[in-house]
Amino acid sequence: MEILYKSTRGTGKSITASQAILQGLSEDGGLFVPDSLPKLALSFEELSEMSYQETAYEVMKLFLTDFTEEELKYCIAHAYDEKFDTEEIAPIKKAAGAYYLELFHGSTIAFKDMALSILPYLMTTAAKKNQVKNEIVILTATSGDTGKAAMAGFADVPGTKIIVFYPKNGVSPIQEKQMVTQKGGNTYVVGITGNFDDAQTGVKKMFNDREMAKELSAAGYQFSSANSINIGRLVPQVVYYVYAYAKLLKAGEIQTGEKINITVPTGNFGNILAAYYAKELGVPVGKFICASNENKVLYDFFETGCYDRNREFMLTSSPSMDILISSNLERLIYRIGGNDPDKNRSMMDSLAKTGKYEITEEMRQNLKEFYGNYASEEETAETIKKIYEDTGYVLDTHTAVAACVYEKYKAQSGDSTKTVIASTASPFKFTRSVMNAIDEKYDALTDFELVDKLSQIGGVKVPDAIEEIRTAPVLHDRICTAEEMPETVKKILGI
Ligand SMILES: *Cc1c(COP(=O)(O)O)cnc(C)c1O
């Protein structure tokens, strides 16, 4: 069955998966969604015997129907290889009454690697399929994590270049070190004298600049984006939920057909939406537990049916969830509203104009599978400390938000369904917050002393991603103002 993609906002024509990956966002501002979702072709008994790569093929072929078997297997083999520090790719750790699905064994030790390690291959394959001759230039603005994960994915991938802009004084020392030491002849990192919004606005302007697009094309280049609304990032994320279910079955932790709950620490709503798609494919899921930090727009939305971004933006210890507009939620809104582009568009217009929208009572009825709650900064720290003291397992701050919300859900509902918690970052990525939560005395240590201490108390080897940056030479030192961004890009591309 061929799956086509259409915009959540338009009545425009449907396009193939490879075209949707190349385009990223629809011209009408909407997100691409599959026109239907098939069921998994294999039973979970069969899937339980499969490797991560084999599972990835079984899942991704259902969404990316215009890719050949050979193309998909090529992409998968190049993405999920020794860049991951475990053959399982996404191992499951049982601790404190839940199953932690560790999505942080890739090159930047956070879950963005799960999708960004394959996106470059999907994109270059899609370009070939659509006779795109230009070299693809990925432009990204980052507040720290995505830029690094995108560079790690695109580094030395033939036919691509990647340029990352980050706020020079707005990322953590470890994040900056991770970026400026990035290897790869096709990677470029630029610090801008401004904040993340300036960087993001600058990148958006370049995407919309027709003159610049012409100049680029004449020189054999075209821009593309690696951001989280690209279906080339969403689809690879469905894989690990199918894989997790199959592995729990194999380990005898669940019975065939038994429902599980899935808890996800949420920001842009991509990861939890992937879990929702996994259910559509046939994974038996009871509840989707959506965990937020103090930026609790989603919690309020699930409580009231009103999405309202008009509020103070909080900086928390789980920065990858510090978001007031969860872009991928639009795909769910579209679906629960009966796949009606007009209805969806009017809500998104309202979000753009007034910062809020309200869904109908009928749509709320379709959200029954979702439970939302949030964890305060204090609760997050307490959760890290408690789980460490009870079990020895060390959670990162984002995963701790999820663990805390899961406990709230259990207490409120009395539901004892077995639960998978998406563990989205290694504690080594947010060492200071994690160690301070365990004991304030650690605050006196330097960043790398903290790393060694964490390794010691958690009984886990320091990940290579951290080891490498201790001594890695700085390879990038470009700096510019927000206004100079287009000029800098042209200089990099030699035009
Ligand atoms: C991006 C990110 C999240 C949020 O995921 P979404 O798909 O944006 O909801 C959570 N935790 C970490 C560590 C992340 O990097």
Side-chain angles (χ1 to χ4, degrees):
M1 185 168 73
E2 167 147 59
I3 305 293
L4 293 174
Y5 290 79
K6 56 187 178 200
S7 164
T8 50
R9 297 192 196 177
T11 43
K13 69 174 169 55
S14 298
I15 61 176
T16 63
S18 65
Q19 288 166 339
I21 289 172
L22 281 175
Q23 215 178 307
L25 189 70
S26 169
E27 273 161 11
D28 55 24
L31 277 57
F32 289 117
V33 281
D35 56 3
S36 66
L37 282 179
K39 299 280 172 211
L40 287 162
L42 300 179
S43 71
F44 279 104
E45 278 72 23
E46 290 168 300
L47 287 162
S48 71
E49 299 301 326
M50 290 190 159
S51 67
Y52 191 86
Q53 293 80 355
E54 289 165 337
T55 312
Y57 175 68
E58 288 303 320
V59 173
M60 292 177 61
K61 74 174 188 190
L62 300 175
F63 288 90
L64 309 181
T65 52
D66 70 325
F67 284 67
T68 65
E69 176 171 353
E70 196 190 347
E71 286 167 344
L72 257 189
K73 287 189 171 166
Y74 159 85
C75 294
I76 290 166
H78 282 80
Y80 304 112
D81 60 6
E82 310 77 56
K83 287 193 283 299
F84 286 77
D85 66 9
T86 159
E87 264 178 38
E88 292 171 277
I89 307 292
I92 300 176
K93 299 277 160 68
K94 190 175 179 178
Y99 299 95
Y100 287 87
L101 175 59
E102 294 187 348
L103 304 174
F104 56 74
H105 289 273
S107 31
T108 74
I109 57 176
F111 110 96
K112 303 281 190 299
D113 291 329
M114 300 304 296
L116 282 167
S117 53
I118 194 163
L119 181 72
Y121 295 98
L122 295 175
M123 215 173 240
T124 48
T125 304
K128 268 196 215 117
K129 296 179 78 64
N130 290 280
Q131 282 85 44
V132 172
K133 297 277 184 306
N134 287 336
E135 187 165 338
I136 291 178
V137 179
I138 300 291
L139 284 188
T140 306
T142 185
S143 53
D145 283 342
T146 306
K148 173 66 190 182
M151 279 194 290
F154 280 91
D156 289 328
V157 174
T160 69
K161 285 191 168 41
I162 174 161
I163 307 175
V164 169
F165 292 94
Y166 74 96
K168 179 76 188 121
N169 297 313
V171 301
S172 80
I174 291 208
Q175 283 176 322
E176 180 166 40
K177 187 96 199 270
Q178 275 191 312
M179 286 193 281
V180 297
T181 56
Q182 176 65 47
K183 292 186 208 133
N186 63 339
T187 65
Y188 303 89
V189 183
V190 186
I192 71 152
T193 51
N195 59 27
F196 170 64
D197 276 337
D198 298 324
Q200 179 131 43
T201 309
V203 164
K204 279 195 184 144
K205 268 196 198 144
M206 284 189 273
F207 276 126
N208 295 328
D209 185 337
R210 304 220 165 191
E211 273 306 305
M212 195 167 178
K214 267 192 222 149
E215 279 177 71
L216 247 72
S217 187
Y221 295 111
Q222 74 185 54
F223 286 143
S224 196
S225 150
N227 72 19
S228 83
I229 47 140
N230 194 309
I231 60 141
R233 279 186 61 181
L234 193 56
V235 169
Q237 294 179 180
V238 180
V239 173
Y240 44 75
Y241 292 111
V242 174
Y243 180 74
Y245 191 86
K247 292 301 153 190
L248 288 176
L249 194 63
K250 184 175 166 80
E253 298 288 344
I254 53 172
Q255 306 300 314
T256 306
E258 184 175 341
K259 279 189 180 170
I260 58 165
N261 291 337
I262 297 178
T263 306
V264 184
T266 298
N268 228 346
F269 212 76
N271 201 2
I272 196 166
L273 187 76
Y276 182 77
Y277 281 173
K279 180 175 183 179
E280 303 273 317
L281 298 188
V283 178
V285 182
K287 286 274 180 195
F288 300 98
I289 300 166
C290 175
S292 301
N293 64 23
E294 289 179 357
N295 293 293
K296 58 183 186 63
V297 195
L298 286 165
Y299 164 66
D300 294 339
F301 169 69
F302 287 118
E303 284 294 292
T304 65
C306 178
Y307 192 96
D308 186 357
R309 63 149 300 176
N310 300 303
R311 61 183 70 208
E312 196 187 334
F313 178 77
M314 314 289 264
L315 289 173
T316 73
S317 59
S318 44
S320 304
M321 297 158 67
D322 289 345
I323 282 177
L324 291 181
I325 297 190
S326 299
S327 318
N328 271 297
L329 183 65
E330 180 169 344
R331 289 186 163 110
L332 182 66
I333 297 293
Y334 174 76
R335 198 168 180 90
I336 61 171
N339 300 334
D340 179 343
D342 295 327
K343 194 160 145 189
N344 177 63
R345 192 182 331 102
S346 77
M347 288 183 192
M348 297 307 139
D349 284 349
S350 161
L351 179 64
K353 283 197 198 93
T354 67
K356 61 181 177 182
Y357 61 85
E358 198 154 353
I359 60 170
T360 63
E361 194 44 48
E362 203 187 338
M363 287 168 79
R364 283 190 76 181
Q365 292 304 316
N366 294 335
L367 279 182
K368 287 235 166 81
E369 303 153 279
F370 285 85
Y371 167 88
N373 212 326
Y374 73 102
S376 69
E377 286 292 275
E378 203 182 339
E379 287 170 331
T380 305
E382 279 166 7
T383 303
I384 293 173
K385 185 177 170 74
K386 178 153 199 322
I387 291 186
Y388 169 67
E389 287 175 351
D390 291 353
T391 70
Y393 189 55
V394 184
L395 303 182
D396 101 285
T397 45
H398 303 73
T399 311
V401 167
C404 175
V405 166
Y406 171 55
E407 287 303 325
K408 289 186 183 181
Y409 169 74
K410 261 199 306 193
Q412 279 175 16
S413 65
D415 181 3
S416 60
T417 302
K418 286 165 191 151
T419 296
V420 167
I421 297 181
S423 181
T424 53
S426 157
F428 285 95
K429 190 142 195 174
F430 300 95
T431 326
R432 187 163 298 276
S433 302
V434 168
M435 293 301 278
N436 275 354
I438 291 173
D439 194 328
E440 280 174 9
K441 72 169 187 261
Y442 293 128
D443 204 26
L445 303 183
T446 66
D447 286 332
F448 280 109
E449 285 170 348
L450 281 172
V451 163
D452 293 329
K453 197 77 200 169
L454 171 55
S455 171
Q456 189 192 332
I457 68 157
V460 200
K461 186 176 149 284
V462 177
D464 292 346
I466 298 287
E467 272 314 339
E468 275 167 17
I469 60 166
R470 268 187 220 257
T471 52
V474 171
L475 301 173
H476 306 266
D477 58 1
R478 276 197 180 81
I479 295 175
C480 74
T481 64
E483 291 72 34
E484 289 163 349
M485 286 168 65
E487 210 179 298
T488 307
V489 167
K490 286 191 209 167
K491 211 180 283 166
I492 287 171
L493 298 177
I495 52 179

